[in-house]
């Protein structure tokens, strides 16, 4: 099938590349000439494991191409995906849909025959109806079906998530649209993939409900972690103890510094607004949004407490800046609030991240950057692990202890065992776990 993907950002590029890898012929379109020129030259605008290899292969095999010319790109397409950005609108947290509507109008103007237009961008319930109204207004002479098909890709694991999804949700209002969607996903559905066909509005809401539920789950375990700290219980054991109950499930129960990223913060906020607008407030999600915001700042206070209550004039090393590992994405990263809280308290902050430093630099003025983890901790009064990159999971703790000016390790991702760290003479603080002090002299 011939597919056009409007918007070559994270979702558009990954989805476009994966569809081409399944044998469809895909053109990824974007207004940004620089981005398209770079993609044509084989340069990826984002860091995503496996993406470049997949793009290169499918470009070579002539199934994937890039263009800034929307009309030509959709001329012989049977399906056009809209995967443009839906940022939070300034002031009220509503999703800004202007890019979606502009793309829909342009696609309708350029349509040369019957078309299925599929919204992949995360859009509030009812957006598909508005897209349909727009395309009907622009083109009465061509049949254009409007479908919702949300994505559930995780950054850093997006290709795996695309190729082996738990389910594909399709919100379609006509048989023709359902048939086109079935044909698009047929290569994936051969391994008995659950296709969930629902109404367009239901599909739009599924996406928000899924993200909000996951955000609730994370925030729940984060609050349980605080309670564990207050009572001497261990949050990892609590998570395992509840997660083995199949009704709860073990995933998304890792306590940490609060969720970030391009989706959870924006989507929970937009869902809260939708609930308020429809007189059906989502009070649990409202609370989750504010608990998570407060948590990021509280993590700064946790580091200060680990440093004896003051960081004025002290140097704090931060390992990991991106909102999670295997991405260079800094959007809503907990590190942003943490570094600011430390700087406000008078600390000198030095950071290192394996992939995110170019993105982090403009967002974290006043912070210095190190070339690697060991350079970052050299002479520092404490080190805090904020993102659980693999390369921080087996640091040489003996060396870290020697390089630090004072031996304090704050592990906001619980990647070490308390006894493993304290035996090197490091003072250790983590999330929701008791530290049993080991007699240092006996073990070092
Ligand atoms: C998320 C959804 O998982 C995906 O389905 C949706 O399409 C987009 O949003 P992503 O933002 O890439 O994906 O990252 P995810 O792995 O879900 O993590 C989001 C945030 O939650 C990160 O800040 C992560 O550190 C945090 N998190 C996740 C936890 O703190 N604990 C957990 O147990 C899981």
């Amino acid at each position: 099938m011939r597919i056009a993907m409007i918007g070559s950002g994270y979702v558009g590029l990954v989805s476009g590349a994966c569809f081409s890898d399944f044998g469809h012929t895909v053109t990824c379109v974007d207004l940004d000439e620089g981005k398209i020129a770079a993609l044509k030259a084989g340069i990826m605008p984002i860091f995503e494991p496996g993406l470049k290899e997949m793009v290169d292969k499918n470009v070579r095999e002539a199934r994937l191409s890039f263009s800034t010319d929307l009309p030509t790109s959709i001329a012989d397409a049977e399906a056009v995906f809209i995967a443009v950005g839906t940022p939070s609108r300034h002031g009220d947290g509503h999703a800004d849909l202007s890019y979606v509507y502009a793309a829909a109008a342009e696609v309708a103007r350029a349509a040369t025959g019957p078309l299925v237009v599929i919204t992949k961008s995360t859009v509030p319930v009812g957006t598909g109806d508005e897209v349909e109204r727009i395309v009907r207004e622009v083109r009465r002479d061509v049949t254009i079906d409007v479908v919702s098909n949300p994505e559930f890709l995780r950054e850093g694991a997006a290709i795996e998530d695309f190729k082996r999804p738990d389910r594909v949700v399709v919100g379609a209002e006509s048989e023709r649209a359902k048939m086109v969607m079935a044909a698009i996903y047929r290569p994936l559905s051969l391994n008995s993939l659950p296709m969930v066909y629902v109404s367009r509005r239901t599909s739009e809401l599924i996406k928000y409900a899924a993200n909000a539920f996951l955000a609730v789950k994370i925030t729940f375990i984060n609050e349980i972690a605080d309670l564990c700290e207050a009572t001497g219980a261990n949050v990892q054991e609590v998570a395992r103890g509840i997660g083995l109950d199949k009704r709860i499930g073990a995933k998304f129960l890792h306590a940490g510094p609060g969720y970030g990223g391009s989706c959870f913060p924006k989507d929970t906020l937009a869902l809260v607004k939708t609930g308020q607008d429809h007189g059906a407030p989502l009070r649990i999600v409202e609370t989750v949004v504010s608990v998570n915001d407060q948590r990021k700042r509280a993590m700064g206070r946790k580091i200060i407490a680990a440093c004896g209550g003051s960081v004025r004039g002290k140097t704090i090393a931060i390992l990991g800046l991106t909102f999670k590992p295997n991405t260079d994405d800094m959007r809503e990263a907990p590190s942003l609030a943490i570094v600011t809280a430390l700087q406000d308290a008078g600390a000198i902050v030095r950071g290192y991240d394996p992939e995110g430093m170019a993105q982090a630099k403009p967002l974290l003025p006043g912070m210095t950057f190190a070339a690697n983890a060991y350079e970052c901790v050299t002479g520092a009064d404490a080190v805090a692990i904020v993102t659980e990159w693999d390369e921080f999971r087996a640091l040489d703790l003996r060396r870290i202890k020697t390089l630090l000016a004072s031996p304090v390790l704050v592990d906001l991702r619980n990647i070490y065992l308390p006894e493993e760290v304290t035996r090197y003479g490091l003072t250790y603080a983590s999330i929701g776990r008791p530290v049993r002090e080991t007699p240092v002299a006996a073990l070092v």
Side-chain angles (χ1 to χ4, degrees), residues 151-155 207 211 214 218 252-254 258-260 263-264 323-324 413:
E151 55 78 25
F152 301 96
L153 309 177
R154 286 166 304 162
E155 291 187 21
K207 166 70 195 215
N211 273 357
L214 293 170
I218 296 167
F252 276 68
L253 286 178
H254 299 291
Y259 61 78
C263 290
F264 286 175
F323 82 96
K324 67 175 201 175
R413 299 288 185 169

Side-chain angles (χ1 to χ4, degrees), residues 68 190 276:
T68 51
L190 289 181
Q276 288 166 355

Side-chain angles (χ1 to χ4, degrees), residues 257 318-327 329-330 333-336 338 352-354 384-393 395 410-416:
I318 302 287
L319 297 183
L321 301 168
T322 51
F323 82 96
K324 67 175 201 175
N326 296 322
T327 176
D329 200 333
M330 284 295 298
S335 65
L336 297 170
I338 293 169
Y352 165 70
D353 189 276
I385 297 170
V386 177
T387 314
E388 69 278 31
W389 284 91
D390 280 349
E391 66 175 73
F392 303 147
R393 287 177 184 271
L395 291 168
V410 183
D411 175 3
L412 298 182
R413 299 288 185 169
N414 288 351
I415 58 178
Y416 286 97

Side-chain angles (χ1 to χ4, degrees), residues 57-111:
K57 171 175 162 243
N58 286 287
V59 167
R60 223 174 23 247
E61 292 170 9
R63 284 191 299 267
L64 180 63
S65 58
F66 300 99
S67 173
T68 51
D69 180 0
L70 188 144
T72 314
S73 304
I74 73 151
D76 53 0
E78 293 144 89
V80 179
F81 283 85
I82 298 181
V84 297
T86 53
S88 278
R89 208 162 59 186
H90 288 301
D92 65 1
H94 272 295
D96 179 350
L97 300 170
S98 51
Y99 302 108
V100 173
Y101 295 149
E106 207 181 338
V107 169
R109 267 192 295 277

